[in-house]
Amino acid sequence: NIINGFFFSSLEIFDINGNSVGNLVNNYMNAGTHHIVYDGSNVSSGIYYYTLKALNKVQTKKMTLIK
């Protein structure tokens, strides 16, 4: 959904079992580059997956959290 140059985006983090451990973005954003900081203090070190949804596209990538 695009409203006045803004599009709905979501960025969610999942543990290795597919459980959501954080929802960092869930709102309308303008096009361009954005920087999101994930604290991660509520989870342990390990492998996590993040899913970015925007403009009818979905991308999932793996990340490693090291404390």
Side-chain angles (χ1 to χ4, degrees), residues 16-37:
I16 197 81
N17 296 316
N19 301 310
S20 177
V21 295
N23 195 338
L24 306 180
V25 174
N26 197 27
N27 57 25
Y28 285 89
M29 301 181 77
N30 60 331
T33 302
H34 300 274
H35 298 275
I36 307 295
V37 177

Side-chain angles (χ1 to χ4, degrees), residues 8-53:
F8 191 80
S9 302
S10 69
L11 177 60
E12 192 167 6
I13 299 175
F14 299 91
D15 66 15
I16 197 81
N17 296 316
N19 301 310
S20 177
V21 295
N23 195 338
L24 306 180
V25 174
N26 197 27
N27 57 25
Y28 285 89
M29 301 181 77
N30 60 331
T33 302
H34 300 274
H35 298 275
I36 307 295
V37 177
Y38 177 57
D39 181 316
S41 62
N42 61 329
V43 296
S44 60
S45 296
I47 303 294
Y48 294 88
Y49 294 90
Y50 61 91
T51 299
L52 174 63
K53 297 178 185 176

